[in-house]
Each structure stands twice: as structure tokens, then as C-alpha cells.
Amino acid sequence: MSDDPYAALGLKKSATAEDIKKAYRKIARTSHPDLNPDDPKAEAKFKAASHAYDLLKDPETRARFDRGEIDASGAEQQERRFYKEYAEAPGNPYRSGQRFEDFGEASDIFAEFMRQKGHRDRQESGQRFNVRGQDQRYALEIPFLEAVNGGTTRITLPNGSALQVKIPKGSNDGQTIRLRGKGEPGYGDGPPGDALITLSVRPHSLFRREGNDILVTLPVTLDEAILGAQVETPTIDGSVKLSIPKGASSGQILRLRGRGVKSIGTKSRGDQKVELRIVAPPEIDEALAEFMENWRKTNAYDPRKGMKI
Amino acid sequence: MIDLYSEEDAIATVARLTHTQLLSFVKARIVTPMQSESGPVYRQIDLVRMELLCELSEQFELDDDALGVVISLIDQLHGVRAELRAFVDAIASEPADVRERISEAVRATRSTG
């Protein structure tokens, strides 16, 4: 970045406040990354110019800079994110052409104009416009098990009415449900918009989800791990008996086939993966300690063999 | 969990944004928050959008109507770019002769207007 803010704006030190504003606006017009998304050099140029403008727009700060009391690096800008990084993403709710599909042949800018003005101007002009109602977006937090197993819930709208929402089995965090015709009423004879409900799934204390698989960490006792056992493990549809093999270790993962999530469009369910975690007894009694002492003498083993650096 | 910001969070995150401005953006429908049981909530894209809107309104002294026209054009630009990129990606995975025919057709349209 240039140390000379005047140069960044293409100006001399004698420039007036009006010159500075004009020069900055010109650069913003030609180089703002959101207005010129195809120009790879735009961002650097715009950042330099807006940095310079921040310093020079206030006559007092400018005077201090001119007297050498502060330098150009003074007002360092924070990391700036531009709208264009988000605007082209598929879920962008502001993408035009998506909301006006029922508006017929008219251009989107016309529909956009109607959407903002039609409401007010309709009566004055005496004309009738038929515009599809606006989509209304909702954020809905649901419990983990409701997302996994599906269910029905209600959202209370700001106007006090309620909307029934069916949560499909296997819904994902961030997924959007569309309820046709449940948005705002249309203008004139236009149909109502849709309600778009974005789900936010609350984490569960036991279950985690990885695609269509469910992950659970299952604590087992020392004796269960050594001798093997049948233990109960929670699954998303209740408790299930799980065989712990003889000589199981912490971190070992057992798979319960078909106990995972069934999401829309998939034929079979995912699996539940159970990660074992050996928990030592709360108290080590003398008999156990003594047994281990003796056992170690003849059966010592080194699980860290492969870890030598 | 997806990141959502309350009104206060949004104002705290977008440095230039004032409460009055936020309300005027929402009223003019150039920003549309999501509704939730706890009131309106804003997504990351809303915050970055408001950053741009503040910049445009401040530096070009645009009122809400003019701002609505400008942001609508920007949205259309981005929408068209995304569509175009989808086409270009689809064409790129076609065989060489198809790509060649398409680029010839594009060149011909360009030169004859």
C-alpha cells in the first residue's frame, strides 16, 4: 500500500475537500470489488483508496497528517469481506429471478420496483398490478432427535399466528424447508409468496452426526473391556444391546449397521458408530492393585512401541 | 449450528451501521432478516450486504429508493454471473468439438451484434 494517501487517490497535496471526495467516488465506481467483480486488481486499488479517503475526508485528521503528526498507516483497516464473496453462493436469498418466477415476462428490475413501490402507489395510480407476494424467511431451532427422526413443530409468527412445519426425517443443519403459499400475500391478483424455514439443529449431549452415520462415545468398565460383555448402548431409536469383544481398547469403533439416519432420497439407513472409552474403577482396591503388580511381572507389554521419534 | 446474529449483534459487527439505518434497510426491504421465535435474526450475508449498503449510502449519498435500485442491480449482476459460471463449467466438461462449436457460435454473435 502506498504511503502517500494523495497518490492513492491520484491527487496533489493542494487538492480541495471536494476534489478528494470526487476522486474517491470515481475510484469506488471503477474499482469497488462489489461493483466490478471481474477485475482482479480492483480490490487492492479500492482498499488503498478507501484507506486514503478515511485519512483525508476529515479536515482535522487531514491537517494532522499534512503536519506530519500522524502517518498513513495510522488508521489500519480491519479485514474487509466483500458482498461478492457471498452473493454468488447458491443459497443467496437476494438472488433475483428466484422470487419473481410467477411474474411472467416482465423484467426483474420492474418486479423489484413494484415490490418496493407497488404497495404504496397502487391506489394513487388507479392501476392494478399482480405481483407475487414476498417470500418470508424463518430461522427455526430444532432438537437433534427431531431432525434425525422427523416430526411436526409450530412456529409462532410475529403477528401472533402460527405455522405448522413438518420436519422431514434426516433433516440437516442449515437445510431450508419451503411451504408454498405461506409467505406474504400477493399484490392484486398475484399469488402469495412462500415461507422458507431454515433449520438450525441443536447439538445432542450423546449423539453426533456425520453424514448419515451417528457417532456415540460409550464408556465401558475395565472388566467389560477385558472379558467382553453385552452392554446397552443408546441409539436414535432407543436402547440396543451391543457386544463388546474380549480385549477391547479405548478408541475402538464398533459399528451397528442400519442404526443411523435415513435421509430423503436414500434407500438405506446409515450406521451407528460406537467409540469405546475404558473407564477405570472409581476406587482401586488392594486386591486389584496386587493382582496387577503380579501380572505385570510376567505379561508386560508396550503399546507405545511405534511412538519412538 | 448456523451462525445467526440478533439486531444488537449485527450493529456491533458492522462498524458503520446504526440502529436507525438498520431499521430503514429493513423497512425499505433491501435487507430481509429471517424471523425467529426471539425476533429478527441476520445471517452473515446480511451483515456483509449492510456493510456495502452503508458504504453506498454514505459515500454516494443515496437515499433508500436509490439504494434499492443499486443493490437490485448488483444482485442481478451476481445472479447472472453465477448462472454464467454454471454454463461455463458445464461447457468445460463437454468434448473438445462441442466446446469449439459453442465458442464459434459465441464469436459469431459477438461480431454481428
Side-chain angles (χ1 to χ4, degrees):
Chain A
M1 195 181 287
S2 167
D3 282 342
D4 180 0
Y6 292 100
L9 293 168
L11 295 171
K12 294 209 170 69
K13 249 188 140 170
S14 56
T16 64
E18 191 58 26
D19 293 337
I20 291 169
K21 194 180 200 176
K22 264 195 189 148
Y24 175 65
R25 280 186 177 182
K26 195 173 166 213
I27 291 172
R29 203 177 70 217
T30 56
S31 301
H32 194 298
D34 284 327
L35 307 177
N36 304 275
D38 282 319
D39 182 356
K41 289 185 204 134
E43 190 164 327
K45 194 173 176 198
F46 175 73
K47 275 185 172 162
S50 63
H51 184 63
Y53 184 61
D54 278 344
L55 193 70
L56 300 182
K57 68 179 170 191
D58 176 32
E60 210 166 292
T61 326
R62 182 185 172 191
R64 287 181 61 203
F65 172 76
D66 287 345
R67 289 196 297 270
E69 289 170 19
I70 49 175
D71 63 17
S73 63
E76 207 52 68
Q77 282 181 313
Q78 61 182 57
E79 188 58 38
R80 168 73 194 271
R81 313 212 60 170
F82 289 101
Y83 184 55
K84 66 170 185 171
E85 296 168 44
Y86 295 86
E88 280 188 43
N92 176 4
Y94 298 108
R95 272 270 282 281
S96 50
Q98 296 175 340
R99 282 175 292 180
F100 306 112
E101 63 252 43
D102 298 352
F103 196 62
E105 308 251 312
S107 66
D108 284 341
I109 182 67
F110 181 59
E112 182 74 29
F113 182 72
M114 286 334 325
R115 189 170 63 84
Q116 287 168 20
K117 294 277 210 144
H119 215 38
R120 272 178 262 161
D121 295 351
R122 200 177 54 204
Q123 284 141 347
E124 290 158 41
S125 63
Q127 279 177 286
R128 278 186 73 81
F129 296 107
N130 301 325
V131 183
R132 182 175 174 269
Q134 220 201 350
D135 289 342
Q136 188 61 267
R137 291 177 178 269
Y138 299 96
L140 178 65
E141 203 182 276
I142 54 170
F144 184 89
L145 286 178
E146 197 168 312
V148 161
N149 293 325
T152 313
T153 188
R154 293 168 82 79
I155 355 179
T156 313
L157 308 188
N159 65 14
S161 64
L163 206 58
Q164 183 119 333
V165 188
K166 193 170 175 294
I167 312 291
K169 239 182 181 168
S171 291
N172 285 303
D173 194 38
Q175 190 174 320
T176 300
I177 297 172
R178 182 184 288 266
L179 299 180
R180 293 231 176 257
K182 299 289 184 190
E184 294 190 9
Y187 305 138
D189 294 331
D194 299 336
L196 297 166
I197 296 145
T198 302
L199 302 178
S200 177
V201 180
R202 218 177 293 144
H204 195 276
S205 57
L206 301 179
F207 303 116
R208 280 161 294 143
R209 186 170 165 185
E210 204 171 73
N212 284 337
D213 290 340
I214 293 286
L215 276 61
V216 166
T217 302
L218 187 72
V220 292
T221 64
L222 196 55
D223 50 299
E224 283 165 348
I226 290 167
L227 305 170
Q230 290 271 325
V231 300
E232 298 252 320
T233 176
T235 73
I236 54 171
D237 25 40
S239 218
V240 159
K241 284 257 189 230
L242 174 71
S243 295
I244 310 289
K246 212 172 178 175
S249 287
S250 272
Q252 191 172 337
I253 290 169
L254 305 176
R255 197 179 273 267
L256 286 166
R257 294 214 182 270
R259 292 284 180 182
V261 183
K262 183 180 189 311
S263 53
I264 309 167
T266 56
K267 276 201 185 116
S268 53
R269 288 177 62 167
D271 302 333
Q272 173 163 315
K273 293 194 215 159
V274 182
E275 185 183 358
L276 301 180
R277 189 165 64 91
I278 298 171
V279 177
E283 257 175 80
I284 308 295
D285 60 279
E286 223 150 278
L288 179 62
E290 203 182 301
F291 168 76
M292 282 320 243
E293 293 275 0
N294 288 323
W295 185 86
R296 181 154 64 181
K297 284 177 196 152
T298 48
N299 295 282
Y301 65 108
D302 184 6
R304 296 175 293 275
K305 240 190 327 219
M307 293 186 84
K308 304 265 163 23
I309 305 169
Chain B
M1 297 277 285
I2 50 174
D3 279 340
L4 295 172
Y5 300 78
S6 70
E7 216 162 71
E8 295 84 67
D9 292 344
I11 293 164
T13 312
V14 181
R16 301 165 193 266
L17 187 65
T18 64
H19 191 243
T20 321
Q21 242 171 341
L22 177 82
L23 293 182
S24 87
F25 290 158
V26 173
K27 189 157 175 268
R29 300 210 157 162
I30 43 190
V31 172
T32 51
M34 298 171 98
Q35 299 299 329
S36 79
E37 310 254 342
S38 54
V41 284
Y42 296 83
R43 296 144 292 196
Q44 187 70 39
I45 188 172
D46 297 319
L47 302 193
V48 183
R49 185 180 177 86
M50 289 194 280
E51 180 101 49
L52 173 63
L53 288 168
C54 288
E55 208 160 51
L56 290 173
S57 73
E58 236 172 67
Q59 285 148 13
F60 294 92
E61 289 155 31
L62 300 182
D63 63 18
D64 286 347
D65 282 342
L67 213 49
V69 172
V70 172
I71 197 73
S72 152
L73 289 170
I74 292 174
D75 285 334
Q76 289 180 56
L77 171 70
H78 287 304
V80 172
R81 279 167 53 85
E83 297 276 281
L84 186 62
R85 199 186 307 277
F87 274 107
V88 168
D89 288 349
I91 292 166
S93 57
E94 290 293 318
D97 60 318
V98 177
R99 294 204 308 266
E100 188 56 37
R101 277 215 310 278
I102 292 172
S103 46
E104 261 169 44
V106 171
R107 262 199 297 274
T109 314
R110 270 186 188 158
S111 57
T112 58

